[in-house]
Amino acid sequence: MIAERGIPLIAAPMAGGISTPELAAAVSAAGGLGFLASGNLSADALAAEIAACRALTSEPFGVNLFVPSARRDLDLADYGARVEAAAARHGAKAGAPNWDDDNYPAKVELVVAERIPVVSFTFGVPDRSIVERLHEVGTEVVITVTTPQEARAAADLAADLLCVQGMDAGGHRAVFHDDAELPGGGPLFGLLTAIRLVQAEVDLPLIAAGGVVHGADVAAVLSAGAVAAQLGTAFLVCDEAGTTSTQRAEIAAGQRETALTRAFSGRPARGLVNRFMADNAAAPAAYPQVNNLTRPMRAAAGKAGDPELLSLWAGQTYAQARPMPAAELVHRLMVEARRALAHATARL
């Protein structure tokens, strides 16, 4: 559907309330593909978002699912004490470091029943039976990958497209197996390098994600062979995004560096460097346990407007994000991409 319809722009699914139905609908209505992020939502909450998005647009949109982690019995007592001390700054407690499956089975049933046009998977590959069920109802399956090895595993499951994520992407790395000894959970590749390496391994349409914030970036990845560009950070400051005022202010200021961290969730993710990240550079590889552990702290910091205890996910190019309505951004990106492609052709 993505390649056949010639959709060159995709709004990345951003969990935590950022990818609102309003944002997804606006992007799809403008000629891109909007996405809903199901991470940390119940199946009922996701169903409500799907209904809200369909009430806003008749255009297709996608839903992203987190593949559950297999890591369960981990000793997080020491890290829990660190989170407890930080949370106390706003009168909060640490959460329970429990494992959960993010309501994954129920959400799989939901997207099958709702016949969502595009379903993407992050943090691993779904069971083959899930891919087959989605194909039976006409759903296009996208699997997010960061390495050629992951691309081969996804291709073996008959994924329709791969979303290739470069190291400069904001938010969580999509690595299948989080290697605690590596900052990014696995090998780190820039986006164009990742595209080339994956192209050498599999023959599937590719969506490019990571550091794409301007139309010239879109043109670059399309010229490299991708069928579409996926942008997350660029949409963080759109009017329809659910980004908090605290994070919007930090993005607008543009003064912080970005880095990869496990401090907030137990999975490597890129965000704006703040005190909690700096104090917890050696956070354990334990998702979703750490995510559940820090949730009350993050909620309290959000209410207090304290950027030092929030997970301020953003890509390396965050300072170039432009606040405007999502439809206007889609239009500008397409105009810029066409201009960049025409300029490059004229120079050959």
Side-chain angles (χ1 to χ4, degrees), residues 8-12 27 30 32 211-220 222 229-236 238 320-322 324-341:
L9 295 173
I10 297 171
V27 172
V212 182
V213 74
H214 188 277
D217 304 324
V218 175
L222 295 180
Q230 179 168 289
L231 299 80
T233 300
F235 286 101
L236 272 175
C238 281
Q320 298 177 30
R322 298 168 285 186
M324 64 184 73
E328 182 179 343
L329 178 59
V330 171
H331 174 71
R332 284 200 191 186
L333 289 167
M334 289 185 176
V335 169
E336 291 165 354
R338 292 189 192 103
R339 185 181 301 132
L341 289 168

Side-chain angles (χ1 to χ4, degrees), residues 147-241:
T147 66
Q149 293 77 15
E150 292 174 352
R152 285 198 298 270
D156 288 344
L157 281 179
D160 299 291
L161 299 95
L162 303 182
C163 179
V164 180
Q165 184 191 51
M167 62 176 287
D168 33 10
H172 283 100
R173 298 269 295 150
V175 291
F176 291 4
H177 304 289
D178 183 4
D179 184 343
E181 301 303 316
L182 299 174
L188 294 174
F189 298 115
L191 180 55
L192 293 180
T193 299
I195 290 173
R196 294 190 186 100
L197 291 174
V198 169
Q199 285 173 329
E201 293 293 331
V202 301
D203 184 20
L204 283 174
L206 305 181
I207 299 165
V212 182
V213 74
H214 188 277
D217 304 324
V218 175
V221 298
L222 295 180
S223 296
V227 299
Q230 179 168 289
L231 299 80
T233 300
F235 286 101
L236 272 175
V237 291
C238 281
D239 297 356
E240 299 89 345

